[in-house]
Amino acid sequence: MATALFLAVTAAFGGLSTAEGAPVPHLERGQEHRNQQFALTVDSAYLRTPGGVAPDRRELVVYVDAVNLWTSPQLTAVEGLSRSVALTRLPNATPAGTSRVDDGTPSPVLQPGVQARIALTLSLIHI
């Protein structure tokens, strides 16, 4: 009975089909994107081969100017800011870390309203 009620309610709201997500914005250098947590402006990017790693591994480092839009400090680590970046042509790229460009602090915490240049590192395989 509970299952039948669940299916009836689900059908009333579009069934069990997957909902369409919001389109991912395509950003060019200098364009800002805002979400609920951050304002991000892409500055530049470069591809590197990390030392001491398998030769088929590369990392893409994306420099962004980031501003924390919340009223409390926010993480930029893999669980935070780096999840805001996705590469449409490289969907298997995985966040590998963040650091402040000015002082090299790994996984910095952004204070509210303060802009910082952040290096987002994405791990790429077989490039």
Side-chain angles (χ1 to χ4, degrees):
M1 173 127 163
T3 302
L5 180 60
F6 170 76
L7 290 175
V9 171
T10 301
F13 290 100
L16 298 174
S17 62
T18 304
E20 289 290 324
V24 176
H26 176 81
L27 298 179
E28 298 290 336
R29 183 179 183 181
Q31 288 182 309
E32 181 184 87
H33 170 69
R34 287 179 176 253
N35 60 29
Q36 292 178 344
Q37 259 183 302
F38 299 103
L40 304 171
T41 304
V42 176
D43 178 65
S44 59
Y46 73 94
L47 192 61
R48 71 178 180 192
T49 303
V53 182
D56 64 342
R57 181 166 170 226
R58 302 286 185 273
E59 291 180 340
L60 180 67
V61 180
V62 180
Y63 291 116
V64 296
D65 291 322
V67 178
N68 171 7
L69 299 176
W70 282 21
T71 57
S72 60
Q74 296 299 311
L75 293 174
T76 65
V78 173
E79 302 81 24
L81 174 67
S82 61
R83 289 191 175 223
S84 298
V85 176
L87 304 174
T88 55
R89 294 188 184 197
L90 298 168
N92 294 328
T94 56
T98 60
S99 62
R100 281 187 67 114
V101 173
D102 59 357
D103 65 7
T105 301
S107 302
V109 174
L110 290 180
Q111 298 302 317
V114 177
Q115 180 175 324
R117 176 140 314 160
I118 304 294
L120 302 169
T121 303
L122 298 149
S123 181
L124 312 171
I125 305 294
H126 302 296
I127 295 296

